[in-house]
Amino acid sequence: MKRWKNIWFLLSAGLFMAGCSANSQGYETADASEPFAAENDRSDEKNADINKYSLSGTALTLAQMDEYESDTALDNAYIAYTDEDYVYYFDENLENLRYLVSKNQDIEPEEVESQVLIDQSEDYLEQISSDLDISADDWSVTDLSVGMYTLDLHQEIYGEDIVIASFHFIGDQI
């Protein structure tokens, strides 16, 4: 009889421990998944927000080093996303696009009228922010060399003329 009591005690203790273990694992899994699910929701929102920056209109993905010709200084300072044609460098909080770099290294310089470049730049800025109030006088176009241009968007902020966006073109390609 004592033998059965020992077996019963061991069996009860084993079942009790298994029940506690299952209970605590279920509790931890449920709690751990909630923040994970919330983080995924925020990640999806951020990805939706950054997709508006896509110049080609396709979804941006986190860039892998082998997908593009890497710029080490930019890679170390910013988070890089990519689409089929460009690499987009965002600040650490994914709140601002800092640099947009073409993957196409074979663009040929060609003469383009300033208004074509201004129109392309304005279209892109309207795509990412409809809050900007831009006039033709806000742009300055600089010929860097034949078929290569820099466009700067100037705004007056606190009485100072500030460049708030700068585009570099080879021909009509940003």
Side-chain angles (χ1 to χ4, degrees):
M1 187 73 171
K2 188 172 185 178
R3 187 172 168 194
W4 285 106
K5 283 185 182 180
N6 287 340
I7 292 173
W8 178 248
F9 176 75
L10 289 174
L11 184 60
S12 298
L15 288 174
F16 177 75
M17 293 303 280
C20 289
S21 175
N23 229 3
S24 69
Q25 286 175 350
Y27 179 74
E28 287 173 10
T29 303
D31 283 348
S33 67
E34 287 176 20
F36 182 72
E39 181 61 35
N40 279 346
D41 291 343
R42 284 192 294 271
S43 178
D44 290 344
E45 289 172 20
K46 282 183 179 180
N47 285 341
D49 289 344
I50 66 168
N51 284 332
K52 72 180 179 183
Y53 292 100
S54 176
L55 191 61
S56 65
T58 59
L60 300 181
T61 58
L62 195 58
Q64 303 299 322
M65 297 299 257
D66 58 345
E67 291 179 351
Y68 63 99
E69 195 157 320
S70 178
D71 183 327
T72 306
L74 290 177
D75 289 340
N76 290 336
Y78 302 106
I79 298 172
Y81 283 80
T82 187
D83 62 16
E84 57 205 27
D85 299 317
Y86 296 92
V87 179
Y88 303 78
Y89 292 96
F90 291 89
D91 70 1
E92 190 173 324
N93 297 321
L94 297 179
E95 293 177 2
N96 296 312
L97 174 66
R98 293 297 184 186
Y99 295 96
L100 169 64
V101 179
S102 176
K103 290 181 184 178
N104 185 354
Q105 302 298 318
D106 301 325
I107 301 172
E108 294 294 323
E110 63 182 72
E111 300 258 349
V112 180
E113 290 187 27
S114 295
Q115 193 57 49
V116 171
L117 304 176
I118 291 171
D119 289 344
Q120 276 189 287
S121 300
E122 284 180 351
D123 288 346
Y124 183 66
L125 289 174
E126 286 174 6
Q127 173 183 324
I128 62 175
S129 177
S130 60
D131 296 340
L132 293 175
D133 184 26
I134 304 170
S135 72
D137 297 334
D138 294 336
W139 292 100
S140 66
V141 180
T142 306
D143 291 342
L144 300 175
S145 67
V146 177
M148 298 177 71
Y149 310 93
T150 295
L151 273 74
D152 290 328
L153 176 60
H154 298 263
Q155 295 278 306
E156 188 172 310
I157 300 175
Y158 299 116
E160 295 289 325
D161 182 37
I162 305 291
V163 174
I164 63 167
S166 184
F167 293 89
H168 300 275
F169 284 86
I170 298 176
D172 63 351
Q173 297 292 309
I174 292 178

